[in-house]
Amino acid sequence: MKLLNTPRIYFKGIELAQSSQIKITKELLSLIINKILIENAGVKELHKIVNSYRIKILKRQISDIDDIVIVKKVGRMPESYKTLPAHVALAVKRKEQGEYFYTSMRIGFIVIKDKPLTIVHKDDFTGLYDEKYYWCNQIFGPTLRLLKTVYPFENWEKYNTGNLELQQDLGAFT
């Protein structure tokens, strides 16, 4: 058997390695890292990639809901919290509906509204999610930290908007 000489990258200490990070963020970070380290892509190509993901999220063009499911662990029993986190409240609600509940369980949910934070269990998802929340909080933040480390003088902040009006300004990268 002939082994291919392909580079392997192991990730430690970044959002890409966190189990609670959403799938599409991991996908984008992995793509950017591979473009930089393996393909030696230029900054213009990275701008195109970031903007294409931005458009995909803001136009709600996600085909697989697993790409945006946030999974968090219930750390302790609900009565021990001063203020119940949204994912724990969701787990309690599901328990009241007859589902099994235990500490250390992981619950998958989707954010449908940011302020006030409103979430639904992934099984109850109807197709609408808060695209601004996902782009600004879940996807662009980790992406910005990575890109600013590699290209600190590049203007990445221009993508940190939760609306598509910026599109004219970014036309060169679409």
Side-chain angles (χ1 to χ4, degrees):
M1 178 166 90
K2 186 177 180 181
L3 295 176
L4 297 175
N5 188 15
T6 56
R8 295 195 106 177
I9 300 173
Y10 296 95
F11 303 103
K12 294 269 187 194
I14 64 172
E15 283 88 349
L16 190 53
Q18 294 176 351
S19 63
S20 63
Q21 190 57 262
I22 63 172
K23 189 175 172 184
I24 197 164
T25 301
K26 288 181 177 185
E27 176 186 298
L28 176 57
L29 291 173
S30 180
L31 177 62
I32 289 172
I33 290 170
N34 281 309
K35 290 288 183 184
I36 293 169
L37 297 178
I38 296 172
E39 297 179 28
N40 202 22
V43 71
K44 189 174 182 178
E45 186 173 353
L46 297 175
H47 276 282
K48 286 181 183 179
I49 292 168
V50 171
N51 196 43
S52 70
Y53 271 78
R54 184 180 152 278
I55 291 168
K56 183 178 180 178
I57 293 299
L58 295 180
K59 287 189 173 182
R60 294 186 177 140
Q61 296 173 337
I62 301 298
S63 56
D64 185 2
I65 68 156
D66 287 335
D67 286 346
I68 60 170
V69 170
I70 301 169
V71 179
K72 290 202 176 185
K73 186 168 74 169
V74 176
R76 52 189 192 256
M77 293 304 288
E79 52 275 357
S80 66
Y81 288 95
K82 286 183 182 178
T83 305
L84 218 55
H87 70 286
V88 177
L90 181 60
V92 169
K93 179 181 172 188
R94 305 275 298 181
K95 176 186 174 196
E96 291 166 355
Q97 296 171 346
E99 288 193 19
Y100 190 63
F101 177 89
Y102 56 94
T103 58
S104 298
M105 74 182 287
R106 296 188 179 278
I107 185 149
F109 62 90
I110 295 172
V111 176
I112 57 172
K113 187 176 176 208
D114 184 17
K115 295 189 180 11
L117 186 65
T118 307
I119 64 172
V120 295
H121 192 273
K122 67 180 187 169
D123 295 340
D124 300 329
F125 182 59
T126 60
L128 292 178
Y129 60 89
D130 189 327
E131 71 280 357
K132 293 176 186 176
Y133 172 84
Y134 274 93
W135 176 251
C136 295
N137 298 5
Q138 292 291 319
I139 300 166
F140 187 66
T143 305
L144 178 64
R145 285 188 287 281
L146 172 63
L147 291 170
K148 284 197 72 71
T149 301
V150 179
Y151 295 102
F153 302 110
E154 197 65 28
N155 181 15
W156 300 108
E157 285 84 3
K158 64 185 173 184
Y159 300 106
N160 192 20
T161 179
N163 59 46
L164 290 171
E165 286 79 45
L166 180 66
Q167 208 49 48
Q168 288 179 313
D169 299 335
L170 301 175
F173 300 112
T174 57

